[in-house]
Amino acid sequence: MENKWMLRAVFVLAVCLTRNLTSGHGDRTSLDSNKTPHSPDPKEKLEGSRNESFEVDSMVTLLCTSRKIIWSEMIYVIWKISLKEKNCSIAVAVNDPDFNTCQDGKIIISKGGNYSLIIPHFSTKDEGNYTCDVSYHAGGYVETIYASAWAGPEKTGWLEVKGGHTFAVCEVQSFPAASIHWETPWNFSLTETHSSRDARGVFTVTSRLQLPQNASHKNLTCVATDSHSKWSETRLTHFKFIDNSVKWHFILLGVCATCSIVTLLTGLYIMREKVGQLSVFKKICCSSQICQPPKEEKTPQPRDTEEVEPYASYVQRVNSIYNSSADLFNA
């Protein structure tokens, strides 16, 4: 009897323990399901790399990361630039002053939580590695971008005659340099190719093909190829002779314009000389008039009455004598 009670007690205890374990496991499963995905350690930085290609002379915007980070969460952004000719850095920080050791127009702009590097005129000298190091309160990113340049192709073709031979010329401007070959209806060809490079780093490859005597240029094809992904092959099939005739109407126009200018300048010079002579003569006349002392105006002298009225004066004297004689006899 006691053994039965003991077995029952053990069975009840086992059932209770089984229920408690089951409940605890369910609670743990519920907690695990409510956990958020693992977030990176604030000191841990995600790393990445990519390749990008840009056209020469274009304005380039290098985006560091697609994640938008507001300025209040930001600590710093550093662009480390490694080029063929130099290494430099550009940085902005919340608690430190900004600095830019590139001094070639590259700047960092912040727009909508993105911190991008601006290259105003991308050239072959700007090819290299651009590493963006972003640190913010929740973590950070390190992104390395290899930027390469490409240009063209810009192709031109013409025909020219030198030394009694006709040449077809094919010229291609591109970066990297293009390879040129000809497709002709005849089996052999004499070609001459040379290359040059401008200040931007763009190559100009020129190929000259000597045509056989009495050969037609209508079936010629210049083929330019390049291993760059932006363009692989381009063809040129239209060739025309260069107009080397002298433009006589432009020459006559230049001569007429030169003669007109010379005539005008000569007339102005002659007029200037005449005006100068007149001014000198005027100065001499004026100076002579100024040097001569002014003439003194003589005051009119009173004339003798007898000179003016001789008869009246004579009659007056005779009358005075006659009156004096009459007064004497009357006395």
Side-chain angles (χ1 to χ4, degrees):
M1 191 69 181
E2 291 180 357
N3 291 332
K4 290 182 178 180
W5 281 105
M6 184 65 69
L7 291 173
R8 288 179 180 178
V10 171
F11 178 76
V12 171
L13 181 61
V15 171
C16 291
L17 290 174
T18 303
R19 288 183 177 179
N20 289 333
L21 290 174
T22 305
S23 176
H25 185 268
D27 293 343
R28 180 172 295 177
T29 304
S30 176
L31 288 173
D32 289 340
S33 63
N34 291 332
K35 281 186 179 180
T36 57
H38 176 69
S39 59
D41 186 1
K43 296 182 180 180
E44 180 184 351
K45 290 187 177 182
L46 301 178
E47 295 185 1
S49 63
R50 66 182 190 269
N51 297 329
E52 293 192 20
S53 182
F54 306 98
E55 189 174 4
V56 173
D57 286 338
S58 64
M59 187 179 74
V60 173
T61 302
L62 289 180
L63 184 63
C64 180
T65 176
S66 59
R67 179 184 177 89
K68 296 183 179 181
I69 308 168
I70 61 176
W71 183 249
S72 60
E73 298 180 359
M74 180 61 65
I75 299 176
Y76 63 80
V77 180
I78 302 176
W79 279 92
K80 301 175 183 178
I81 303 171
S82 178
L83 307 178
K84 295 178 181 179
E85 298 182 357
K86 68 175 181 180
N87 297 327
C88 61
S89 300
I90 307 175
V92 294
V94 176
N95 298 322
D96 295 320
D98 303 343
F99 67 87
N100 186 342
T101 61
C102 294
Q103 303 299 324
D104 56 1
K106 297 181 179 70
I107 58 172
I108 296 177
I109 64 169
S110 173
K111 185 177 181 182
N114 294 324
Y115 302 88
S116 303
L117 179 68
I118 302 298
I119 306 174
H121 299 284
F122 194 82
S123 67
T124 57
K125 295 181 180 180
D126 295 316
E127 287 188 317
N129 289 317
Y130 294 77
T131 301
C132 177
D133 186 353
V134 179
S135 181
Y136 55 98
H137 294 293
Y141 290 89
V142 177
E143 185 81 7
T144 300
I145 307 166
Y146 178 75
S148 60
W150 69 275
E154 296 181 2
K155 56 186 183 300
T156 55
W158 66 89
L159 297 173
E160 61 184 20
V161 177
K162 287 186 176 181
H165 298 282
T166 302
F167 293 87
V169 183
C170 181
E171 187 175 87
V172 180
Q173 291 184 351
S174 64
F175 184 85
S179 298
I180 298 178
H181 69 272
W182 294 86
E183 294 181 356
T184 63
W186 49 86
N187 295 328
F188 67 95
S189 60
L190 298 175
T191 60
E192 178 185 352
T193 304
H194 68 273
S195 176
S196 62
R197 198 171 186 179
D198 60 14
R200 303 173 301 163
V202 177
F203 290 94
T204 300
V205 180
T206 306
S207 178
R208 283 181 168 83
L209 171 67
Q210 181 177 342
L211 275 65
Q213 294 292 337
N214 302 322
S216 176
H217 61 273
K218 294 183 179 180
N219 295 324
L220 291 178
T221 302
C222 171
V223 183
T225 58
D226 181 60
S227 59
H228 203 279
S229 60
K230 292 296 180 181
W231 66 279
S232 58
E233 182 179 288
T234 182
R235 292 171 171 264
L236 184 64
T237 57
H238 299 286
F239 298 90
K240 294 182 179 181
F241 282 97
I242 298 177
D243 187 7
N244 294 323
S245 61
V246 180
K247 306 296 183 179
W248 289 107
H249 55 283
F250 290 115
I251 296 177
L252 292 176
L253 181 61
V255 171
C256 292
T258 304
C259 293
S260 300
I261 293 172
V262 171
T263 303
L264 178 62
L265 293 176
T266 304
L268 292 175
Y269 178 78
I270 294 174
M271 292 178 63
R272 182 176 177 275
E273 291 294 327
K274 290 184 177 180
V275 170
Q277 292 177 0
L278 291 175
S279 61
V280 171
F281 179 74
K282 187 175 180 180
K283 289 180 180 179
I284 294 174
C285 294
C286 293
S287 60
S288 61
Q289 291 180 1
I290 293 172
C291 293
Q292 290 180 358
K295 295 181 179 180
E296 297 181 359
E297 295 183 358
K298 295 182 180 180
T299 56
Q301 297 293 334
R303 295 185 179 181
D304 192 1
T305 308
E306 294 182 357
E307 294 179 359
V308 178
E309 297 179 351
Y311 178 77
S313 177
Y314 173 76
V315 172
Q316 187 176 2
R317 285 199 303 270
V318 172
N319 289 335
S320 61
I321 296 172
Y322 177 77
N323 291 333
S324 300
S325 299
D327 290 339
L328 182 59
F329 283 110
N330 290 330

